[in-house]
Structures are given as structure tokens and as C-alpha cells.
Amino acid sequence: MMCTVCGCGEGETRIEGEEPHHDHTHEHTHAHRHGDGHDHGHDHHHGEPGDLHYGKGPARAHAPGMDQARMIAIEQDILGKNDQYAAANRGRFAQLGVLTLNLVSSPGSGKTTLLTRTLRDLKEEMPLAVIEGDQETSNDADRIRATGVPAIQVNTGKGCHLDAHQVGHAVDHLGLQEGAVLMIENVGNLVCPAAFDLGEAHKVAILSITEGEDKPIKYPDMFHAADLLLLNKIDLLPHLQFDIARCMEYAQRVNPGIQILQVSATTGEGMDQWYRWLRLNREARLVGHATAAEPKPAEVPA
Amino acid sequence: MHEMSLCESVLQILESEAGRQGFSRVKAVWLEIGELSSVEIDAMRFSYDVVTRNSLADGSTLEIIRVPGTAWCMQCAQSVNIKQRFDACPDCGSYQLQVTGGEEMRIKELEVE
């Protein structure tokens, strides 16, 4: 499929079943380590001593108005383009009555296990679909497809997050059913995906109790952006020193409105609450939406 | 390292503005970056240099305007400054804060020719 309005930043994205269409990879990444002997008159505070070069010419020394130079005020959000793609996705989901969730976590939180269990338990009840984001491999999409639920893998290459443009393309290939629940499993990363709206209805953060209980305040942006927190691997609690109350307090500190559920994808404990949350949110999407998933209103005789 | 993506987005905006506003070189870019925006400034500068190489902004200066984090404290009913999202109100210690500023990631202005 040819992208006509292409504007995504990543050069290495691969979507299953699609030819890569962005080949402007930036391979000159570390070409500017020093040793080339030129002089910098500026003093940015670097993280590491004198190793990186951030632009030629002395900072703050240029004089606007000299030669043909002129100033232009543009006032544009850096992520404006992503937000436009996200809005387009959101419109598409609304039209189809699709509930889209953006699942975010660290690597190793048990996200894929939680997802596959959810799919197995709910696939007879409602149409489901999955977009899998990983830097490399289609292992996770393969695990998802083994459940019988359609899945598309997006490999982000060097990218550390999914963006709305990639999701739009993946949706093209998924063939979403009306009234479906679309789960987007983002790249395992608690930092970058927080900034990129994909057009989802909710971000769902998954934190396993084998991680530190202070993760919500170590990575506040993500927990701030999430509407629901699933505390996973709760079955391991007897073997760990994990203070659930403290973890919940930290999460509520960065996000007073966050909902928190304790679950175990392995034993199934607490999963019914998560399914209840899913059903209620899906129902809310379907209100007023005439889909096959909802009983059709009785025909009024003419 | 989403700073790399952010810089690629900046470059896209520069390229589309170049056509619209009729310039061919960018000499300096002013970005407004909020203190709560999860952007690492050093990473941003490094990525900017890498991403703008051989582009219309090659060699341009990146100026960063930091915007302080501010929040509305519901207890004190006033605006307060915060450094991080989970900070307590510096006056009353409450965590009932609504962030009101410091999440910006904007291109403010350009020097072009």
C-alpha cells in the first residue's frame, strides 16, 4: 500500500504484509564524535565531558536581521502531525464502534501473557484484534495468532514507541470488525510511548509486582497518562517484598484518577474485574451505535 | 530515545514551512520545552544535530526555552511551581495538584534565509 500523506518520523518501520515505504534511514547517527579539531565557542552543559557537538557556531551569537535572515514565528506543536494521525485513527474507531486500548509497560511485565489469556477468555464473547509493537521479530504476533485472534506485528526498528501513523497503517491491514476491541501492545518502554497518542480510548499500564513498587514515581509520565493500572503477577505476592498499598499510593500521587486492579494472568485471579472493566467500556462505546454486536432496535411499522 | 523522533518531526515541520513561507535555509530554531514534558535536553540537542545533517537546517542553532512546571493546588486554591509530576504542593504538602503548564513541546520561531 502506498502512503500518500506520509509524514512519520521513523525510517525503519516494518508492518507485516507491507513493503517498507520509508527508507530515509539516518545512518550517520554517531558520525560526529570529536577529533575533527574544530572549535566550539558555546558552552552547553553536556551529560558527558566535552564529547558531543550540538550545532555549529556560537550559540546566542547570531543576530537576526543580518544579511537576508529573517525571523518567523510558527508556534507549532512538535507532535502536531502525530496528533493529527491520532485524531484520524480515533475518528475511524468511533465510526466502527471499536474500543481501542494502548497497553504500555516495561519489558517483562507479563503483558503478552496477560493479553493472550484475555483473548482466549473473551474471543467467543466479542470481536478482538491486536496490533503488536516490538523493535524486532514477529514472535509476539505469532503468540497472539495462536489464540485465533487476528494480529499485525509492527516492528519499529530503532524506534522506541509506536506512533499514530504506524497504527493507521496496521489498521488498514487488520480489517477491523464493528464493535471490536482493539488491543495495541506498545513497545515495552515506560518513557517514550507516554508522549505518542495513537488514537486510543485509554492507555492501560501493566506493572508486575516483581518490579519496584516505586515505578509510578520513577516513570511518572506514563502512569499519569494511563487510565487503568493492572498490577500483574499478584500470585507471587507471598514470595516478594512488594508493598501494594505504597505502590497504589505512588500511582495515585502522579494520577489521582487512576483505577487500579490486581490481577494474575497465570492463575486468573482478579481477571474477572479486568474483563468487567473491558465489557463496560466496550458497552459504553456501543451505546447508540448500530452494530451486529448490539441487538438491533425493533423495526417501527410504517 | 524518542528525542530522535521529536527532532524528525521538527525537521518535517521546517521542510513544510520552507515551501509555504519561501525560505531555503534555517539558521536557528527556538523550541519551547516544558519541564514536565519527558524530554531530555541533552538527547534533544544531540538528536537535532544528527537529524538535521544534510538538510535545510544543517548547522543551525537549537535554542531551548524551558517552561517551568506549574500546577493548580486544590487545597490552597492557587497556582504553584513544581519540578516533577509527583511533587507535593510546596505550600501545603497536598498531592491534589492539577498540572497547568510545563508540558509544552512546541516550535516557537525560526531564523531563516
Side-chain angles (χ1 to χ4, degrees):
Chain A
M1 171 167 306
M2 190 56 194
C3 176
T4 49
V5 282
C6 226
C8 100
E10 247 60 55
E12 297 179 350
T13 304
R14 286 187 310 280
I15 296 173
E16 282 180 310
E18 183 168 303
E19 287 298 309
H21 55 281
H22 305 286
D23 49 5
H24 50 279
T25 53
H26 300 273
E27 285 172 359
H28 42 276
T29 306
H30 292 283
H32 215 73
R33 294 276 167 190
H34 268 194
D36 47 353
H38 56 266
D39 183 45
H40 311 299
H42 61 299
D43 57 346
H44 299 303
H45 55 287
H46 298 167
E48 289 171 37
D51 203 17
L52 305 176
H53 169 121
Y54 307 114
K56 295 174 202 161
R60 299 171 211 283
H62 53 263
M66 303 287 286
D67 37 66
Q68 310 100 320
R70 62 195 162 103
M71 301 299 295
I72 298 180
I74 60 171
E75 298 279 352
Q76 282 193 40
D77 282 332
I78 295 174
L79 289 177
K81 198 139 197 174
N82 183 74
D83 293 344
Q84 282 169 23
Y85 283 116
N89 292 345
R90 194 163 274 125
R92 208 162 158 190
F93 298 143
Q95 213 164 33
L96 288 167
V98 165
L99 171 69
T100 303
L101 303 177
N102 181 357
L103 308 183
V104 292
S105 78
S106 325
S109 64
K111 191 161 36 133
T112 309
T113 305
L114 189 135
L115 185 54
T116 49
R117 173 152 195 152
T118 304
L119 301 174
R120 282 207 178 86
D121 289 347
L122 297 184
K123 67 180 176 182
E124 307 300 334
E125 189 182 325
M126 57 184 82
L128 299 164
V130 174
I131 296 172
E132 267 296 330
D134 281 301
Q135 285 201 309
E136 298 295 342
T137 84
S138 63
N139 293 350
D140 280 0
D142 295 342
R143 276 174 76 186
I144 300 298
R145 281 190 286 252
T147 67
V149 169
I152 290 278
Q153 181 82 45
V154 179
N155 287 133
T156 56
K158 71 181 186 308
C160 47
H161 57 269
L162 289 172
D163 64 41
H165 180 252
Q166 295 164 338
V167 167
H169 275 294
V171 168
D172 291 341
H173 289 267
L174 261 177
L176 272 183
Q177 274 190 57
E178 288 197 35
V181 174
L182 171 62
M183 308 268 203
I184 303 174
E185 186 177 341
N186 216 316
V187 178
N189 177 345
L190 281 176
V191 184
C192 309
F196 291 81
D197 184 5
L198 304 181
E200 72 273 1
H202 303 283
K203 283 191 179 73
V204 177
I206 296 155
L207 174 63
S208 97
I209 64 164
T210 54
E211 306 172 58
E213 61 222 354
D214 55 353
K215 275 230 169 135
I217 52 170
K218 277 186 174 162
Y219 301 95
D221 296 305
M222 188 58 86
F223 292 90
H224 178 76
D227 294 314
L228 179 68
L229 169 59
L230 297 177
L231 273 181
N232 192 23
K233 305 191 185 177
I234 206 80
D235 54 302
L236 298 177
L237 196 56
H239 312 286
L240 299 168
Q241 297 210 316
F242 186 92
D243 187 339
I244 288 204
R246 171 161 290 187
C247 181
M248 289 168 69
E249 185 212 311
Y250 284 149
Q252 281 155 348
R253 212 185 266 186
V254 296
N255 182 356
I258 197 165
Q259 260 185 296
I260 305 173
L261 298 176
Q262 300 178 31
V263 302
S264 164
T266 313
T267 65
E269 189 181 342
M271 293 293 277
D272 53 336
Q273 288 301 303
W274 155 234
Y275 298 157
R276 183 157 179 244
W277 185 93
L278 265 176
R279 286 186 193 104
L280 290 171
N281 278 280
R282 175 170 176 267
E283 280 295 310
R285 290 247 121 186
L286 287 176
V287 171
H289 197 275
T291 68
E294 194 183 38
K296 293 247 183 330
E299 281 197 29
V300 183
Chain B
M1 275 293 281
H2 64 306
E3 287 77 5
M4 193 69 90
S5 307
L6 294 178
C7 287
E8 285 173 350
S9 300
V10 169
L11 182 59
Q12 280 170 18
I13 293 172
L14 298 182
E15 284 168 348
S16 71
E17 286 297 310
R20 197 175 307 157
Q21 308 223 31
F23 58 84
S24 56
R25 297 265 320 140
V26 176
K27 298 178 74 179
V29 174
W30 278 260
L31 299 184
E32 214 174 48
I33 303 289
E35 282 180 356
L36 306 178
S37 68
S38 77
V39 172
E40 200 59 57
I41 298 298
D42 284 343
M44 195 75 188
R45 291 191 180 282
F46 178 73
S47 305
Y48 182 82
D49 195 35
V50 167
V51 166
T52 55
R53 286 273 207 104
N54 301 319
S55 76
L56 79 171
D58 195 346
S60 60
T61 312
L62 180 63
E63 300 282 1
I64 306 250
I65 306 160
R66 298 311 315 256
V67 183
T70 53
W72 181 258
C73 175
M74 303 192 193
Q75 301 295 323
C76 310
Q78 63 167 345
S79 190
V80 294
N81 286 324
I82 52 171
K83 286 279 168 218
Q84 283 160 312
R85 253 184 225 296
F86 53 84
D87 278 354
C89 169
D91 286 348
C92 74
S94 160
Y95 288 105
Q96 297 262 312
L97 300 181
Q98 194 74 42
V99 171
T100 50
E103 296 178 303
E104 298 78 1
M105 289 192 275
R106 291 174 69 75
I107 304 189
K108 193 88 178 134
E109 55 183 349
L110 310 175
E111 185 189 351
V112 300
E113 61 180 22

